[in-house]
Amino acid sequence: MSQTFTPIDSDWPVQVKTPGSHDWERTAARWLRDLLPARYAGYSTLTRHHILLARHAQLQLQHEMRTVRVALQTCRAELPTLGVSDQTIESTIRLYAVELEQLNRLARGVRLITEALLAGSHAQRRRSAV
């Protein structure tokens, strides 16, 4: 009997099928690849090993979150020196706040997929050891 993982979290990406269903790992890999810069699609090690792909997507999102936080924290000090209007600065701050929330949501989705991939991997190893 195969172990299945049922996502009960609202952060599970809608583009990814439920773990244990037919072809779910392919949809997970496609979603994870879409989170990375396009040049990473050419690295077969990442595309063949979904857990590595998930790990790299998590690292990429962490980097992006740090970048957005720095941009958000420095807006009021740096943008006026560049000649940016107060109205545009406020819009930029709102943009960064929205982006940071979206990145956090994506990171939660990557963590859920990683957990599901690991659960499937552990179950497969237990079956092959029998």
Side-chain angles (χ1 to χ4, degrees):
M1 177 184 254
S2 69
Q3 178 183 9
T4 59
F5 177 89
T6 304
I8 55 172
D9 197 299
S10 62
D11 290 320
W12 185 265
V14 297
Q15 302 90 335
V16 179
K17 291 182 178 181
T18 303
S21 65
H22 173 71
D23 224 14
W24 92 267
E25 285 189 25
R26 185 182 63 75
T27 63
R30 185 176 345 131
W31 185 80
L32 291 166
R33 274 193 315 270
D34 287 346
L35 297 177
L36 300 178
R39 68 183 177 275
Y40 284 97
Y43 294 113
S44 60
T45 300
L46 288 178
T47 57
R48 276 189 258 150
H49 302 280
H50 299 156
I51 198 67
L52 295 177
L53 183 62
R55 177 182 177 272
H56 195 81
Q58 189 69 43
L59 292 169
Q60 181 73 32
L61 288 168
Q62 288 170 358
H63 174 72
E64 289 181 41
M65 286 186 274
R66 279 192 302 272
T67 301
V68 171
R69 283 187 191 108
V70 168
L72 186 57
Q73 292 166 353
T74 59
C75 275
R76 291 192 199 283
E78 293 180 6
L79 294 183
T81 65
L82 298 173
V84 178
S85 72
D86 288 344
Q87 182 180 358
T88 302
I89 292 170
E90 293 306 316
S91 294
T92 302
I93 289 169
R94 285 190 298 275
L95 170 146
Y96 286 140
V98 168
E99 181 64 13
L100 191 56
E101 179 50 40
Q102 180 176 331
L103 290 169
N104 278 308
R105 184 181 47 76
L106 291 170
R108 289 189 300 269
V110 171
R111 280 192 296 275
L112 290 170
I113 288 174
T114 301
E115 290 170 7
L117 288 168
L118 288 171
S121 172
H122 293 311
Q124 186 176 16
R125 275 187 252 143
R126 282 193 301 272
R127 282 194 304 275
S128 62
V130 174

